[in-house]
Amino acid sequence: MRILVTIPHFFNPDGDGRYGSGSKDPKPRIMALANCLSSLHHLFGRAQYASHFDPFSLYYANQCQTHTLDIIICTTKDFHLLDQLSISAQFYQHHATNAEPMLLGFECQSLLAEHINSYDYYCFLEDDLILQDPSFFAKLNWFTQVAGTENLLQPNRYELTISDAFQKVYIDGGIDPKYLCQFHSPREQEDLNGEVMRQQLSFSKAGNPHSGCYFVNNEQMAFWMRQPHFCDRDTSFVGPLESAATLGIFRTFKIYKPVRQNASFLEIQHSGNVMSQRLFKALEIDKLEQKN
């Protein structure tokens, strides 16, 4: 399978701190991007081996799911941390631009379009997302075969914490349907069900289409490119970053996510635990207000 991944990357220590790209300390951002890149190569790169001890030797492993992986990191001006990465530049391509930082996601869309018909999957990942599932693309392909190309499966984003307890929190809660309806006409979307390895799975209309990423196959990418809104740089969904990651696919496809009972079927890790801690803090405040 041929996979193209585009990653927008920006860092400005003088930013407002709303996003990780605008914090004072670059170390968490360096670690996040390094983990993002290394996870892709560990999962889908060709350098995978099995050992044998008598005599000692190494053999190639996982040839049955060999992938060709290309990664392009899109930056603007000198606002990036690539020169501080411990990962060699041979493992990614650097695409430098003069774009507005918050619009780098649209530069990634343009890059994907430039490579149409050259890959099986066209992917967008924010630079703090980490894949952990070697069967990720096999699951996407299975879903498309079952549901059709007009339906797009998005992963559930999660964060981990071990400070107070071993907690895993899916962080993209539902959004007011009235807000979502302004971006497209109401669509009828039935829940979809399937069986994988004797496990019953369910997928429902995404209450929040945002995952900070998307993964479309060649047919879906070509269809999206034919839409008048493709790469129109509309930033009206939440904000510029969220719009670049989500608005285009939301207007083009019926977006599904695995239901919470089988949320881990397709998931992606968000580096750190800032968002989950905000959720816990909000819950504590809500409980306090209820007591008062």
Side-chain angles (χ1 to χ4, degrees):
M1 183 179 292
R2 299 161 299 169
I3 303 168
L4 175 61
V5 179
T6 57
I7 301 173
H9 169 62
F10 170 79
F11 183 78
N12 181 7
D14 297 322
D16 59 12
R18 179 184 176 189
Y19 298 99
S21 58
S23 63
K24 300 297 182 183
D25 184 3
K27 293 180 182 178
R29 210 65 185 177
I30 295 171
M31 182 177 293
L33 179 57
N35 288 336
C36 176
L37 292 171
S38 62
S39 68
L40 290 169
H41 282 286
H42 287 150
L43 291 173
F44 309 116
R46 293 178 178 271
Q48 302 189 32
Y49 306 95
S51 62
H52 184 75
F53 292 121
D54 188 20
F56 178 76
S57 53
L58 290 175
Y59 299 93
Y60 283 112
N62 295 319
Q63 297 96 320
C64 65
Q65 50 185 359
T66 298
H67 303 289
T68 298
L69 174 68
D70 290 322
I71 302 174
I72 304 176
I73 301 179
C74 190
T75 66
T76 184
K77 302 178 182 177
D78 294 325
F79 295 109
H80 63 79
L81 298 167
L82 297 186
D83 56 344
Q84 299 185 48
L85 281 179
S86 58
I87 295 175
S88 170
Q90 68 176 316
F91 293 108
Y92 60 86
Q93 301 174 45
H94 180 197
H95 181 76
T97 77
N98 290 313
E100 288 296 321
M102 294 297 180
L103 301 182
L104 278 174
F106 294 108
E107 298 296 322
C108 289
Q109 285 185 26
S110 296
L111 284 172
L112 293 175
E114 290 176 10
H115 293 83
I116 191 65
N117 297 324
S118 298
Y119 293 88
D120 298 300
Y121 270 94
Y122 300 80
C123 316
F124 169 87
L125 277 178
E126 292 181 350
D127 63 355
D128 57 0
L129 295 181
I130 305 166
L131 276 173
Q132 305 279 16
D133 185 358
S135 299
F136 190 88
F137 288 98
K139 291 175 179 180
L140 284 175
N141 188 48
W142 168 82
F143 180 86
T144 304
Q145 290 181 2
V146 171
T149 56
E150 71 277 11
N151 298 312
L152 181 65
L153 186 62
Q154 283 282 82
N156 287 309
R157 252 190 338 167
Y158 68 90
E159 289 184 351
L160 301 176
T161 178
I162 59 173
S163 57
D164 300 318
F166 289 96
Q167 297 168 329
K168 179 178 185 178
V169 183
Y170 293 98
I171 58 177
D172 294 312
I175 297 176
D176 186 347
K178 293 181 181 178
Y179 177 76
L180 296 178
C181 282
Q182 66 182 294
F183 300 105
H184 61 68
S185 57
R187 301 169 177 167
E188 290 295 327
Q189 283 187 233
E190 297 181 357
D191 287 354
L192 301 176
N193 300 288
E195 182 176 345
V196 176
M197 299 176 68
R198 297 187 178 181
Q199 179 185 4
Q200 293 297 322
L201 301 169
S202 295
F203 310 89
S204 63
K205 177 180 180 180
N208 182 350
H210 184 66
S211 296
C213 56
Y214 53 77
F215 309 83
V216 296
N217 63 27
N218 190 74
E219 182 179 353
Q220 290 169 324
M221 187 70 204
F223 177 73
W224 182 14
M225 290 170 57
R226 294 194 295 270
Q227 307 310 307
H229 56 257
F230 179 75
C231 213
D232 62 1
R233 298 176 183 264
D234 184 341
T235 61
S236 59
F237 178 75
V238 184
L241 292 183
E242 294 81 4
S243 295
T246 302
L247 186 53
I249 59 169
F250 188 41
R251 284 177 165 163
T252 305
F253 305 102
K254 295 180 179 179
I255 305 296
Y256 283 84
K257 288 186 178 181
V259 301
R260 60 182 175 85
Q261 289 83 355
N262 49 253
S264 64
F265 176 78
L266 197 77
E267 62 181 13
I268 191 165
Q269 182 180 355
H270 184 246
S271 184
N273 57 15
V274 172
M275 296 181 70
S276 58
Q277 292 308 303
R278 288 176 183 170
L279 292 171
F280 284 124
K281 184 175 181 180
L283 184 62
E284 291 172 358
I285 292 173
D286 183 61
K287 288 181 177 179
L288 181 61
E289 289 177 348
Q290 289 181 21
K291 290 181 180 179
N292 295 336

